[in-house]
Amino acid sequence: ASKQIRMSYFNYNYALMRKMPKSFEKEAIRMDETQEVDFVKARQQLDNYKDALTKLGLEVIDLDADEEYPDCIFVEDPAIVIGKKALVTRLGHVNRRGETGPIKEVLQNKLQLDITEMKDEYATVDGGDVLFTGKEILVGLSARTNEKGVKTIAETFPEFPVSGIPVHPTVLHLKSIATMLGDGVMAVGGSSAAKEMFQAVKNKSKFNYKYVELERDPSANVLYINGKVVHKTQPELGDNDYKKLLSNISGDRIEVCMDEMYKVDGCLSCCSILINS
Ligand code: CIR
C-alpha cells in the first residue's frame, strides 16, 4: 500500500473564489444597514485578494458572479473542505441557499473531492463558523449555524473532535473573531463579545494552542497558507495589532485591504475555499 504523508493541513494548491455581482453593492446582507459599499473599491479589494493567493502559489478557480446572490463572493460559507472531503452546507440565511450549486459542481467534478451534502432540513451551517485548527473542528453556534449543523459536521468528519462554541449575538461567525495564524497558533479578537467566545474556545477545545490576543476583532481574521500569512493593512488593524501580528509571523506575509467587505461583515477567510487536491 502506498503511504501518503501529509505535511500540513494548511498546505494548499487551489483556491476557489467567485466574482462580485453588481448586486453586491446594494443588496449584500449587512448587520449594520447604514453601511454603504463602494462597488469599484470592493471589486478592487477582491482582485487584490486574488492576486495575493496567486502570489502564494495557488491556482485560483474564479467562478462567475450570480446577480441573484449578492453575497456569492463569500464562498467560505457554502462548503467546508478539509483534506479530500467537502461538506456542502445548508446556509443559515435563506436568501443565500442557492449559492451552493456551482460550488458543489467544481469541488466534485474539477477537484474530485469526496462530497457530502447536508440532508437534515433543520440543520444549518455557514462555513464562516467552522474553524479547523489542524487537529479539531470548532464550530460557532450562531444565528447561521445550529446544533443540528454541528452534528452533521461531526458525522462528516469523524476523524476529528468537533465542539460547538456559542457565538455572541453581535458577532456574525466564529471566524469573525478567531482564525489560525500558524501551526498551533490562533489569532483572537479583543472585544468583550470576542473575549466571551475565546473563553468558550479555551474551555471546549481538546488541544492547546498558542493564542495571539489582538485588540480589534477584524485583526484576528487572517489566512495561513503554505507557511505564509495574509493579513489586513495597518489602518484596518491599528498600530498595536499590526505590531503584534508582525511579531508573531515568521514567514512571508501579504497585506490585503478588506475594509469595503467589512461593511457587509465580510473578512479575509470568507472570500475563498482553500483546497489541497
Ligand atoms: C452575510 O451576511 O452572509 C454576508 N454579508 C457576509 C458573510 C461573511 N462570511 C464569512 O465571514 N464567512
Side-chain angles (χ1 to χ4, degrees):
S2 69
K3 244 194 215 160
Q4 222 192 341
I5 300 168
R6 177 179 282 284
M7 297 301 287
S8 159
Y9 278 104
F10 303 108
N11 286 343
Y12 308 101
N13 55 355
Y14 285 100
L16 186 55
M17 290 184 63
R18 197 153 184 186
K19 293 197 171 75
M20 186 176 285
K22 194 77 189 72
S23 56
F24 177 82
E25 179 175 5
K26 296 272 185 281
E27 289 161 54
I29 306 157
R30 57 208 83 183
M31 289 175 105
D32 174 359
E33 291 191 345
T34 65
Q35 294 289 345
E36 287 187 20
V37 170
D38 179 323
F39 181 77
V40 173
K41 271 194 201 162
R43 193 175 49 193
Q44 186 61 53
Q45 291 178 359
L46 195 62
D47 285 348
N48 295 346
Y49 177 102
K50 182 177 171 181
D51 289 346
L53 297 186
T54 307
K55 265 191 212 143
L56 294 177
L58 304 184
E59 180 176 327
V60 178
I61 301 167
D62 204 359
L63 297 174
D64 287 341
D66 186 338
E67 290 296 336
E68 295 292 309
Y69 295 99
D71 286 289
C72 68
I73 64 163
F74 300 122
V75 293
E76 173 177 53
D77 297 319
I80 295 144
V81 174
I82 300 175
K84 306 289 178 211
K85 279 193 208 171
L87 174 63
V88 177
T89 66
R90 195 164 166 280
L91 285 137
H93 198 295
V94 61
N95 293 359
R96 295 193 58 192
R97 298 237 165 105
E99 292 176 26
T100 51
I103 305 273
K104 180 190 161 195
E105 207 274 324
V106 74
L107 294 178
Q108 188 159 39
N109 298 330
K110 180 167 167 69
L111 297 166
Q112 308 269 303
L113 298 180
D114 172 11
I115 306 279
T116 303
E117 283 182 273
M118 288 179 68
K119 288 201 189 77
D120 184 336
E121 61 174 317
Y122 297 104
T124 60
V125 168
D126 272 11
D129 275 314
V130 182
L131 174 55
F132 175 60
T133 70
K135 294 175 172 167
E136 65 183 314
I137 308 172
L138 304 174
V139 187
L141 288 162
S142 66
R144 302 289 177 89
T145 301
N146 63 18
E147 290 280 4
K148 288 194 154 129
V150 177
K151 188 166 166 263
T152 308
I153 293 170
E155 287 164 0
T156 310
F157 303 100
E159 60 276 44
F160 296 109
V162 175
S163 309
I165 307 290
V167 171
H168 194 277
T170 56
V171 175
L172 183 62
H173 291 131
L174 175 59
K175 286 167 85 174
S176 309
I177 66 107
T179 56
M180 299 311 285
L181 176 64
D183 284 297
V185 185
M186 193 185 295
V188 293
S191 70
S192 58
K195 282 194 172 125
E196 265 179 47
M197 292 165 62
F198 177 35
Q199 197 53 50
V201 166
K202 283 198 280 191
N203 292 342
K204 304 222 160 155
S205 53
K206 304 282 184 287
F207 296 91
N208 286 319
Y209 304 94
K210 177 186 168 188
Y211 299 104
V212 175
E213 297 180 54
L214 299 161
E215 288 177 357
R216 298 184 182 178
D217 292 353
S219 305
N221 188 280
V222 301
L223 294 173
Y224 177 55
I225 297 172
N226 303 344
K228 301 173 177 104
V229 174
V230 182
H231 63 80
K232 295 175 187 170
T233 61
Q234 190 156 2
E236 296 168 276
L237 299 169
D239 293 346
N240 293 341
D241 283 354
Y242 187 77
K243 258 190 228 149
K244 194 158 184 178
L245 264 185
L246 261 55
S247 68
N248 282 283
I249 298 172
S250 51
D252 291 347
R253 49 179 199 88
I254 303 183
E255 297 182 12
V256 178
C257 181
M258 295 294 279
D259 58 5
E260 286 302 316
M261 311 297 181
Y262 190 61
K263 293 178 177 174
V264 298
D265 313 308
C267 41
L268 284 167
S269 65
C270 325
C271 298
S272 59
I273 302 177
L274 302 172
I275 300 149
N276 191 336
S277 181

